[in-house]
Amino acid sequence: KTAPLLLDDLNNYDPRRPTVALFNHLVNLPRQHENGGVPSIPWYRNQCKHKWALKDSQCNLPLIIGRPDPKVVSIVAAFCEHCRCHLDLSIDFRGGGRDSCPSEASPLHHFTYQPEISRPRYQPENGAKTDNLSEWEDLTWFQCSAIDCSAKLKIQIRSPRLRPEWVELLTDKDLIKSRSEKAIADDPVRFEGIAVPAPCDVLSNLRTYILNALKHPGRRNISANNKKWLLCLGDPCSELLEHIGFRREDDSWLVPQPDTSELPPILSSLNILLDDVEKELLALLLQRPADERRAIKVQYILNAAAWSLSKALGTAEWAKLDFHDDLIKFSYERQLVVDPDNVPYYLESLQTIADGRKSEDLQTLVAIEASSGKVSAQDVRDAYKLLDLDVASAYLDEDVIIGTFQSRVADAPRQEAELRRALQIIGQDRSSEKIQFMASKSRGNAPVSAFYQAWLTVPTAVTNYEQALSWLGATTDMDDEFIVAMYKVKEEDNHAEESTTRQAVSLIAQHRRSAALKQWLDTGVLGEVEMDVSQAYNRLQIDDRTISDDFVLSAFTLFHQESPSQVDDLRSALRAIAKDRKSQTLLNFLDSGMATSEYPLGEWPVGLANIGNTCYLNSLLQFYFTMKPLRELVLNFDEHKMALTAENLVKKVVGSRKISRQEVQRAQSFVYRLQKLFESMITSPRAHVAPDLELARLTLVTQPLEAALRRRSTTTGNRPSLGEINGKPIMGPPPPSIPEAAIHGTNLIEKPAEPQMNGVYGTVEMENSSEETLLGNDPAEDGVDRDMLDPKPEESQQQQQQILEDKENMPPFKEPSERPRTPDFSLKPLGESSPSRTNEQVPMTKANHDFSNSSSPKKAEQAVIVPPPSRPPPFPPRPHTDDQKQAMVEEVQIGAQQDVTEVISNVLFQLECAIRADSFDSSGEQIDLVKQLFFGKQRSYTLNLQGVLRTKEQFFSNLIVDVASGPKDIYEALDGAFDEQEVEVEGSLQPQYTTITRLPPVLKVMVQRVQYDQKKASAFKSVNHLGLKETIYMDRYMDSEDDDLIQRRKESWDWKRQLRLLEERRADLTKTELDMEMPDVLTTAKEFLDQLSEDDAFEVPDGLRQNIEEAAAESRDELASIDARIKDLTANISSQFVDKRELPYRLQSVFIHVGSATFGHYWIYIRDFVNNLWRKYNDESVSAVTDLSPIFDQDPSDRPPTPYFLVYVRENLKDRLVDPVCRNVAEDVVPQPDPENSDTLMDDVILDDDMAVAGNEDGGQGAMAATGNWLKADTKGQRVAW
């Protein structure tokens, strides 16, 4: 086997337990498979999938750079973190030259098992175990089969040093408690106040004793009455202690006396024993629960052995997941050399890989092998099958085979050629000259394969599909590309038979209904060939074929947005995957552009259709819908709506600034559209609904941006479309913008600088005057629904009268771009628990847009009984033109590029603008439900140069954290927003830190991922992992006068300063131009000088090598000291506030982005606390999440999905705040038009009162144009049909 496979087998081979069929992964022959099936490898259910860690003192690792040294035996000593088995892998190149693998001729080691000198624990012949002891050894030897390589590989796996009963003594809490209580009972006064040790204490103390023995010779003995010794170990552990070298002498325990002067790799048995036990104790420590380890501050990081093992076997530079074609060829050729008896099986395997990859190189090799007389196992099986023979029959001899052949020829003379070819293959497989002679008796042909025998045996005619395949030497599983290749080979071999060969291709094309072959016959150019499933997964860069359909669709969407011109190729890949999975979801998506839901509609949230780069908008809307108080506010908006009176407008302050009438009108229009969407999400009988395009525009486009776009549209012929950056579209808004300091070279700090804003929503530049000048303040152009302005009846009449009186002076009539709205035809009421009660099926026209249930007396009074009209009805509004729709689409595309924080702030800002205030704070800022739900307050403390502490308190809606410097957990990231740091104030650096004075019930955390590369002068996305926790505790960040908390903060800040300095120094010692650590650089330099000195090629100055060696030792000691101190500091920091748990917050939503800084795709995970379930909301698809690793674990891929926005909710309020499933599917509702086939600009047009009456006066026959579709009301006005 090749080295990568051997390494993979080594990671899965567990000598402790045999497989069910006693299969030895390392030494048994591979299980063969038939008919393209996959052999089932028998696994024992408790076998360990090893995770090897290095035992440095026992290693002689291979050189990091360069070829293996032919004079040295490389040793990789490791132990498994899980099962604690020990591995000694050594590879010996001695006795060979410098042409060892890997080389150009032999790119990989190809190892053959050496049974004569091996001693596997389970014998490959019969699976018998070679021992019955708890201490065992498994020894296997391999030799590289390459002629020029002398590598001899020894793999020794040993049992754990600590027997199961000893492990139980050290980790069983009851046993520890029993012997501790006995020691305490024997001397209660001496042990007063001392607690029973935890397993971590016992393991850690024994490990410390062993480390002291190894590192500090001459240590004093341990008193048998030592408190710690008695409680943790004592006489009950005597057998274990004596086994590892401790000796009892009188009232003392003598510690082991290893040879501490021995240098790596250590060879003495006692040193190896102690080192093994120390590593096993460390593994047991790391297996203990996190809270138990935290109590003793266990922060160990094991040195993984994977790279060293790969380097020793020569595979460090090769991809493990898949071989390229050259490696397949190499492996195939080596297998034929060392195992010639199984040539047919290897040829079949080669053919299967060639077909699966559609590799021309491998298919050519198959053809060459077949033409040389080799036959595949499939050929042999087919030959026996054609003669109706059982290959496994004990009575099958040469005479039986020949007799059967003669009988079949007599019965079917037309098949003689095909039967004779089958007989030839059987004779070749059985090495039977007699059978081969009979096969060639009438034809005189040499042995051939099933692929190419047709070249030597010409049938009289080709009249059907089977004959056509036989003529071309093809099989049914060969694709169209291979058929064309075989045609060309056949035509070149026998040009006289070209017409017969074309006829064969034509028959194959007809039988397969292959448009690609028919196109080739007509034009000579092969049409599109269906993609192989392996190619399809590679095309979408999907390594794990077990991922969900949602993720497959996400990958498809991402690449489609990246390269729209390649959509046909991408759809072919998606179709191949869909067929392979038999996935109706993927097939439906290909047919309709939408995925289907597999969950009950009435019990599952609906998805939101992507109406054009709106995946982030959909995620945001889904999040807000799950916030129960906010959803109730939107659905019952009329109860919270602010009346547009002069008094209210004067007092309206949101974000520390005055709000204009126009902003309130725009915001109320936004909320009404959001209300309509929420109602649809509750009552829709479909698995997904489409957001209104105007809602998308109002959400994504802030009012200042809207004004800027309109000003630009008045001065340019074409409206701007910024839907692409660098030729790549944006799906959803880009991540938070890059701090300006990053672009200009200023050092980035992890805590964002104090925002320069007039309010919590930032500075908003209002230019109402200029906009009115440019646009003429045309009501039809200001984007506001006039029926939402809530005018008093008398004001409305005065305005209408003024228009009539001044009609001669008015500009020419211009068709309004906003159409009147349809009457509010309410539906059947929902249940009592539903937040939406707007569905009573009665014709009602309400004043002030009262969409709530009118059953209460107060609301009943608001219903208006409209008298017959005193004037003719107005003309029906005209549909939007294509240009108007395109303009709105472009605005949504531009809005989709707004900063994530801007979009979120815009939503909250508009909600606050639309609703009335509950109260006002001392600054005049409006306090309302939105502010109470989503806004907290934080206070910054700045110490100026004069020693005066200045404070500033302000609202915050998001906490912004940074992962630019590397992977972090959530606490480490949050610390960056609150820790003390130096900020520039009035030209000087001053220390500043921040605390929280009020926590919001809904805590939002924005992850800053976009960074700026000054060398490339471009933005990039940081994909560093952010480790999330399901529960976080915010006590540590609160403003407090508690001296203990303040002191802990200061200690933590000091530790972090020390940690930064240590990490900087460590980087100096580990990051060199050679990609080696400084001790290794110096050691390599010294070894190089040693070699020069031995070769007399260079005169090395006296003392230079010694100085370098001393410098290497010093830097190695310094690095070890730094690592130890970093571990201690990290442990201190992580445990500093572990007992502060009075303010728990639970993770509720995680916004995910995959892509780059300029393009990508968003989806959201939302927690359902009631059903204890996470769901994934990916545009139209809403699915249950069973594997939480995409949320919490690090993805090792190059472009992983990463969290961008997090939502935590207060633990004690989560059930009142979060309600993801709010469904009450109405039995009789208006079906929504297909969002892909209808205009979605203004689906919710509301007509004024006169229009509503006019629509009913004509007996239900009146038609009203709306968005290019006609609405028709029946005589009762109860239903609207599309």
Side-chain angles (χ1 to χ4, degrees):
K1 61 184 72 177
T2 58
L5 178 60
L6 179 64
L7 181 57
D8 193 57
D9 287 345
L10 178 61
N11 291 333
N12 293 308
Y13 175 53
D14 189 352
R16 299 176 306 157
R17 304 181 178 96
T19 60
V20 175
L22 299 174
F23 182 84
N24 188 317
H25 261 299
L26 285 182
V27 302
N28 275 119
L29 290 173
R31 301 299 176 91
Q32 296 189 7
H33 60 281
E34 295 182 1
N35 300 324
V38 179
S40 59
I41 302 299
W43 287 93
Y44 189 80
R45 61 180 180 178
N46 291 326
Q47 279 199 318
C48 180
K49 305 297 181 65
H50 299 299
K51 184 178 181 182
W52 301 111
L54 287 177
K55 297 185 291 185
D56 298 285
S57 60
Q58 300 180 43
C59 290
N60 186 27
L61 298 177
L63 294 176
I64 298 176
I65 300 176
R67 300 186 58 77
D69 189 340
K71 302 177 183 179
V72 175
V73 178
S74 296
I75 301 173
V76 180
F79 70 102
C80 177
E81 296 180 31
H82 303 316
C83 68
R84 297 179 290 108
C85 286
H86 296 270
L87 167 68
D88 295 302
L89 182 146
S90 62
I91 186 163
D92 185 358
F93 293 96
R94 292 176 299 181
R98 290 187 172 271
D99 294 330
S100 58
C101 303
S103 64
E104 184 175 353
S106 300
L108 291 172
H109 285 297
H110 183 265
F111 290 110
T112 58
Y113 174 55
Q114 306 295 300
E116 301 83 5
I117 55 177
S118 299
R119 296 194 309 274
R121 191 179 188 207
Y122 291 91
Q123 295 290 359
E125 292 82 9
N126 54 21
K129 189 166 65 172
T130 59
D131 62 76
N132 294 299
L133 304 175
S134 58
E135 296 182 7
W136 48 262
E137 176 184 85
D138 186 284
L139 176 64
T140 50
W141 283 88
F142 294 87
Q143 172 75 49
C144 183
S145 70
I147 296 175
D148 297 327
C149 183
S150 62
K152 293 180 286 294
L153 177 66
K154 173 187 172 185
I155 298 177
Q156 183 183 27
I157 304 178
R158 295 182 283 108
S159 60
R161 299 285 195 168
L162 297 176
R163 299 173 189 166
E165 60 269 23
W166 295 342
V167 173
E168 189 177 13
L169 274 175
L170 299 174
T171 59
D172 187 280
K173 292 184 178 180
D174 291 335
L175 293 178
I176 296 172
K177 182 179 179 182
S178 174
R179 62 176 179 262
S180 297
E181 288 180 345
K182 182 179 182 304
I184 294 172
D186 290 343
D187 194 349
V189 176
R190 184 164 175 254
F191 286 96
E192 184 178 359
I194 298 179
V196 173
C200 266
D201 296 310
V202 176
L203 296 168
S204 179
N205 287 334
L206 180 55
R207 180 171 176 265
T208 301
Y209 292 134
I210 294 174
L211 286 175
N212 288 337
L214 285 169
K215 295 182 179 180
H216 305 286
R219 299 283 295 184
R220 62 186 177 83
N221 297 330
I222 304 169
S223 171
N225 292 321
N226 180 285
K227 292 181 183 179
K228 185 183 296 184
W229 180 271
L230 280 175
L231 292 178
C232 293
L233 300 168
D235 291 338
C237 298
S238 297
E239 184 183 8
L240 162 63
L241 295 170
E242 291 172 355
H243 176 77
I244 60 178
F246 288 85
R247 287 188 301 111
R248 178 68 180 264
E249 189 174 284
D250 299 329
D251 292 332
S252 298
W253 279 91
L254 304 182
V255 298
Q257 298 295 322
D259 182 3
T260 56
S261 65
E262 188 176 20
L263 297 176
I266 57 177
L267 300 175
S268 68
S269 58
L270 180 58
N271 285 27
I272 293 175
L273 170 63
L274 291 174
D275 189 51
D276 286 352
V277 173
E278 184 269 322
K279 294 299 186 293
E280 289 186 38
L281 291 171
L282 182 54
L284 291 170
L285 272 169
L286 295 177
Q287 292 171 14
R288 302 303 302 170
D291 55 345
E292 189 179 314
R293 298 200 313 270
R294 194 180 300 116
I296 63 167
K297 300 181 180 178
V298 177
Q299 296 289 332
Y300 302 109
I301 300 176
L302 297 175
N303 190 3
W307 189 90
S308 297
L309 290 169
S310 296
K311 183 65 178 176
L313 293 177
T315 66
E317 306 303 325
W318 299 96
K320 173 186 171 185
L321 294 180
D322 200 7
F323 276 25
H324 56 69
D325 288 352
D326 289 340
L327 291 182
I328 294 292
K329 291 179 184 179
F330 165 77
S331 304
Y332 169 73
E333 291 165 357
R334 297 312 307 162
Q335 291 296 107
L336 296 194
V337 171
V338 302
D339 188 17
D341 291 340
N342 282 310
V343 168
Y345 174 65
Y346 296 130
L347 180 56
E348 180 188 15
S349 300
L350 179 66
Q351 176 191 340
T352 304
I353 296 173
D355 293 343
R357 292 186 171 187
K358 298 189 181 301
S359 166
E360 292 184 6
D361 288 345
L362 295 182
Q363 288 170 343
T364 300
L365 178 59
V366 171
I368 293 172
E369 294 291 89
S371 65
S372 69
K374 294 185 179 71
V375 294
S376 73
Q378 184 64 48
D379 294 335
V380 176
R381 290 193 297 271
D382 290 343
Y384 278 102
K385 184 177 180 181
L386 186 62
L387 292 175
D388 199 19
L389 294 171
D390 181 5
V391 68
S393 173
Y395 304 101
L396 197 63
D397 58 17
E398 292 176 332
D399 293 334
V400 172
I401 294 172
I402 292 173
T404 303
F405 162 74
Q406 292 171 335
S407 175
R408 292 295 306 278
V409 169
D411 293 339
R414 291 187 179 183
Q415 291 185 314
E416 179 183 356
E418 190 174 1
L419 293 168
R420 195 172 295 280
R421 289 192 296 271
L423 185 65
Q424 180 70 53
I425 291 172
I426 293 173
Q428 184 176 341
D429 180 60
R430 299 174 74 97
S431 300
S432 170
E433 294 182 2
K434 183 177 180 180
I435 294 177
Q436 292 187 63
F437 174 77
M438 176 57 68
S440 60
K441 188 174 181 181
S442 62
R443 300 284 178 172
N445 292 327
V448 292
S449 74
F451 296 149
Y452 287 86
Q453 72 303 55
W455 298 355
L456 306 174
T457 306
V458 182
T460 57
V462 176
T463 59
N464 56 43
Y465 178 61
E466 290 74 17
Q467 289 179 350
L469 290 174
S470 178
W471 175 259
L472 291 175
T475 58
T476 56
D477 57 348
M478 291 181 179
D479 64 16
D480 292 348
E481 285 182 318
F482 201 86
I483 295 296
V484 173
M486 298 301 291
Y487 166 87
K488 293 178 180 178
V489 174
K490 181 77 171 177
E491 197 272 337
E492 290 175 2
D493 183 71
N494 192 350
H495 186 70
E497 301 291 343
E498 180 183 4
S499 59
T500 305
T501 309
R502 287 187 65 85
Q503 172 68 10
V505 176
S506 177
L507 288 169
I508 294 171
Q510 292 175 18
H511 180 85
R512 294 183 175 183
R513 299 179 181 177
S514 170
L517 285 178
K518 290 178 180 178
Q519 180 177 328
W520 179 82
L521 288 166
D522 294 337
T523 65
V525 178
L526 187 65
E528 182 181 357
V529 179
E530 186 170 307
M531 188 177 294
D532 176 74
V533 67
S534 298
Q535 290 179 311
Y537 279 109
N538 288 335
R539 179 64 184 85
L540 297 180
Q541 295 186 15
I542 297 174
D543 296 327
D544 181 6
R545 298 192 183 189
T546 63
I547 61 172
S548 66
D549 289 348
D550 283 345
F551 195 90
V552 174
L553 286 175
S554 297
F556 171 84
T557 302
L558 176 61
F559 284 106
H560 182 203
Q561 295 297 326
E562 225 178 302
S563 307
S565 62
Q566 299 180 16
V567 62
D568 292 338
D569 188 47
L570 293 168
R571 286 180 63 84
S572 295
L574 188 61
R575 189 171 296 280
I577 294 172
K579 289 183 177 180
D580 179 67
R581 291 177 168 222
K582 297 181 174 62
S583 169
Q584 195 59 44
T585 298
L586 298 182
L587 291 173
N588 287 342
F589 178 84
L590 285 163
D591 293 338
S592 64
M594 292 179 243
T596 57
S597 175
E598 57 186 280
Y599 303 98
L601 290 178
E603 304 171 9
W604 200 255
V606 298
L608 295 177
N610 191 317
I611 58 175
N613 295 347
T614 57
C615 54
Y616 178 77
L617 170 70
N618 290 344
S619 299
L620 191 64
L621 293 174
Q622 291 282 18
F623 158 64
Y624 283 129
F625 182 80
T626 64
M627 291 287 103
K628 186 176 180 180
L630 181 68
R631 186 176 67 222
E632 296 278 0
L633 181 149
V634 172
L635 292 171
N636 300 288
F637 174 51
D638 286 330
E639 298 177 8
H640 304 274
K641 177 180 175 182
M642 187 191 100
L644 282 171
T645 64
E647 179 183 3
N648 288 342
L649 288 172
V650 167
K651 295 191 294 185
K652 190 74 171 180
V653 176
V654 177
S656 301
R657 68 175 182 82
K658 291 284 189 179
I659 304 301
S660 68
R661 172 185 288 267
Q662 184 181 11
E663 287 177 294
V664 176
Q665 293 167 349
R666 185 183 195 272
Q668 292 180 348
S669 174
F670 161 76
V671 178
Y672 275 121
R673 293 178 184 277
L674 185 60
Q675 180 188 72
K676 181 177 181 295
L677 175 67
F678 281 5
E679 289 175 351
S680 180
M681 293 171 71
I682 294 171
T683 62
S684 174
R686 301 180 59 180
H688 59 270
V689 298
D692 178 51
L693 191 58
E694 174 66 2
L695 172 63
R697 188 185 72 83
L698 292 172
T699 305
L700 298 172
V701 181
T702 61
Q703 187 157 5
L705 176 60
E706 181 182 60
L709 293 176
R710 290 184 177 176
R711 287 195 301 274
R712 190 180 304 181
S713 68
T714 62
T715 57
T716 59
N718 298 319
R719 293 176 64 89
S721 177
L722 305 178
E724 294 184 352
I725 294 180
N726 298 328
K728 298 177 180 178
I730 293 180
M731 296 190 67
S737 55
I738 311 162
E740 186 176 356
I743 300 178
H744 296 291
T746 308
N747 291 331
L748 286 173
I749 56 176
E750 295 193 4
K751 171 184 171 184
E754 186 174 311
Q756 301 298 319
M757 59 174 75
N758 293 337
V760 293
Y761 294 109
T763 303
V764 179
E765 204 174 306
M766 296 307 298
E767 301 190 22
N768 294 337
S769 58
S770 61
E771 184 175 352
E772 289 172 4
T773 303
L774 287 170
L775 302 179
N777 199 23
D778 189 346
E781 295 277 348
D782 62 6
V784 177
D785 291 325
R786 283 307 173 199
D787 52 23
M788 289 187 178
L789 302 188
D790 200 14
K792 297 178 181 179
E794 59 273 17
E795 290 179 353
S796 178
Q797 295 174 4
Q798 293 172 1
Q799 291 171 0
Q800 294 174 7
Q801 184 63 30
Q802 183 178 355
I803 290 173
L804 291 173
E805 292 174 356
D806 198 30
K807 62 183 178 181
E808 299 297 333
N809 298 323
M810 292 182 64
F813 176 79
K814 187 174 182 180
E815 190 65 33
S817 61
E818 290 282 344
R819 295 155 294 172
R821 294 179 174 267
T822 56
D824 175 33
F825 295 101
S826 300
L827 303 178
K828 185 178 179 179
L830 301 176
E832 289 297 327
S833 61
S834 172
S836 176
R837 299 180 55 82
T838 68
N839 299 338
E840 188 68 37
Q841 293 182 357
V842 292
M844 180 182 297
T845 305
K846 305 175 191 152
N848 303 335
H849 288 277
D850 182 8
F851 287 111
S852 56
N853 193 328
S854 60
S855 58
S856 66
K858 179 180 178 180
K859 293 175 183 176
E861 292 174 1
Q862 296 176 353
V864 179
I865 300 176
V866 184
S870 58
R871 56 187 174 88
F875 290 104
R878 299 174 185 171
H880 275 283
T881 65
D882 290 340
D883 289 343
Q884 289 172 315
K885 179 176 179 179
Q886 180 60 29
M888 187 173 291
V889 169
E890 289 177 351
E891 285 194 17
V892 171
Q893 290 179 340
I894 296 170
Q897 299 173 53
Q898 298 306 295
D899 187 292
V900 168
T901 54
E902 292 179 6
V903 176
I904 295 172
S905 297
N906 184 42
V907 172
L908 298 180
F909 174 74
Q910 292 192 92
L911 286 169
E912 286 204 86
C913 288
I915 63 178
R916 64 175 179 267
D918 294 333
S919 61
F920 300 91
D921 69 5
S922 57
S923 67
E925 178 77 18
Q926 172 174 312
I927 305 299
D928 48 49
L929 177 62
V930 174
K931 193 87 80 190
Q932 293 169 353
L933 271 178
F934 298 106
F935 286 80
K937 278 193 173 184
Q938 60 186 15
R939 179 177 295 154
S940 61
Y941 293 85
T942 308
L943 187 66
N944 64 18
L945 298 178
Q946 291 73 36
V948 177
L949 187 66
R950 296 182 300 175
T951 64
K952 180 179 180 180
E953 188 175 41
Q954 61 184 12
F955 284 104
F956 72 89
S957 61
N958 306 311
L959 297 177
I960 300 179
V961 301
D962 183 19
V963 291
S965 59
K968 300 178 180 178
D969 68 16
I970 184 64
Y971 282 124
E972 188 179 1
L974 286 171
D975 288 350
F978 295 97
D979 284 350
E980 184 181 65
Q981 54 198 287
E982 290 187 334
V983 297
E984 185 173 346
V985 180
E986 298 176 354
S988 63
L989 294 177
Q990 301 177 8
Q992 182 185 87
Y993 70 93
T994 305
T995 61
I996 297 175
T997 56
R998 177 190 176 273
L999 274 169
V1002 181
L1003 181 66
K1004 307 192 301 299
V1005 181
M1006 177 67 63
V1007 185
Q1008 173 68 54
R1009 288 196 177 275
V1010 174
Q1011 309 297 327
Y1012 189 77
D1013 189 328
Q1014 297 182 11
K1015 292 183 179 179
K1016 297 181 180 179
S1018 62
F1020 70 94
K1021 174 187 171 182
S1022 168
V1023 296
N1024 288 325
H1025 178 61
L1026 178 62
L1028 305 182
K1029 296 181 183 296
E1030 288 206 39
T1031 305
I1032 60 174
Y1033 301 90
M1034 298 299 292
D1035 309 61
R1036 66 188 70 184
Y1037 306 116
M1038 298 304 296
D1039 196 74
S1040 173
E1041 296 181 357
D1042 182 4
D1043 292 337
D1044 176 61
L1045 180 60
I1046 294 172
Q1047 182 59 33
R1048 291 196 199 189
R1049 281 181 187 152
K1050 292 179 178 179
E1051 288 178 353
S1052 179
W1053 297 342
D1054 183 59
W1055 290 335
K1056 289 174 184 177
R1057 279 190 288 267
Q1058 295 180 45
L1059 190 59
R1060 282 193 293 270
L1061 294 175
L1062 288 170
E1063 288 173 342
E1064 290 173 4
R1065 177 56 182 162
R1066 193 183 193 287
D1068 293 339
L1069 293 174
T1070 57
K1071 296 179 181 180
T1072 66
E1073 295 180 2
L1074 299 177
D1075 291 330
M1076 299 167 61
E1077 294 185 352
M1078 184 57 67
D1080 296 327
V1081 172
L1082 294 169
T1083 301
T1084 304
K1086 193 260 183 184
E1087 291 173 352
F1088 177 70
L1089 292 177
D1090 289 342
Q1091 184 177 353
L1092 290 179
S1093 179
E1094 291 175 3
D1095 297 341
D1096 295 328
F1098 182 77
E1099 184 176 349
V1100 180
D1102 294 338
L1104 177 58
R1105 286 182 290 169
Q1106 182 179 352
N1107 290 341
I1108 293 177
E1109 187 174 12
E1110 292 174 355
E1114 290 174 2
S1115 60
R1116 187 173 288 106
D1117 291 343
E1118 182 183 3
L1119 196 55
S1121 175
I1122 289 174
D1123 288 342
R1125 182 56 180 157
I1126 286 177
K1127 287 181 181 179
D1128 291 342
L1129 288 174
T1130 304
N1132 291 343
I1133 293 169
S1134 63
S1135 61
Q1136 181 73 337
F1137 301 99
V1138 71
D1139 58 329
K1140 298 291 184 180
R1141 297 191 168 204
E1142 295 181 6
L1143 295 174
Y1145 274 71
R1146 296 286 296 277
L1147 184 63
Q1148 186 264 340
S1149 293
V1150 182
F1151 288 69
I1152 299 290
H1153 176 266
V1154 61
S1156 70
T1158 56
F1159 67 92
H1161 180 61
Y1162 283 92
W1163 65 86
I1164 185 174
Y1165 294 103
I1166 296 179
R1167 176 74 182 272
D1168 184 339
F1169 293 106
V1170 173
N1171 295 306
N1172 192 27
L1173 174 70
W1174 282 91
R1175 295 185 182 89
K1176 179 181 180 180
Y1177 297 70
N1178 189 359
D1179 288 338
E1180 294 92 344
S1181 171
V1182 182
S1183 57
V1185 178
T1186 55
D1187 178 13
L1188 299 183
S1189 59
I1191 304 175
F1192 296 100
D1193 296 346
Q1194 184 169 3
D1195 188 327
S1197 60
D1198 293 335
R1199 192 166 56 183
T1202 51
Y1204 255 105
F1205 190 68
L1206 316 171
V1207 179
Y1208 282 88
V1209 295
R1210 191 173 295 173
E1211 167 73 35
N1212 61 338
L1213 299 177
K1214 67 180 187 299
D1215 294 332
R1216 293 163 54 189
L1217 294 172
V1218 182
D1219 181 28
V1221 183
C1222 182
R1223 294 284 278 142
N1224 196 335
V1225 179
E1227 296 179 359
D1228 187 12
V1229 297
V1230 181
Q1232 293 189 4
D1234 189 328
E1236 292 193 359
N1237 298 321
S1238 67
D1239 189 340
T1240 59
L1241 287 178
M1242 296 284 288
D1243 287 346
D1244 57 343
V1245 178
I1246 297 178
L1247 295 151
D1248 61 23
D1249 297 346
D1250 293 329
M1251 176 71 85
V1253 174
N1256 281 331
E1257 275 194 332
D1258 62 3
Q1261 304 302 314
M1264 297 159 286
T1267 327
N1269 300 290
W1270 286 89
L1271 298 176
K1272 183 176 181 180
D1274 66 11
T1275 54
K1276 296 182 180 180
Q1278 290 182 339
R1279 294 180 178 85
V1280 176
W1282 290 91

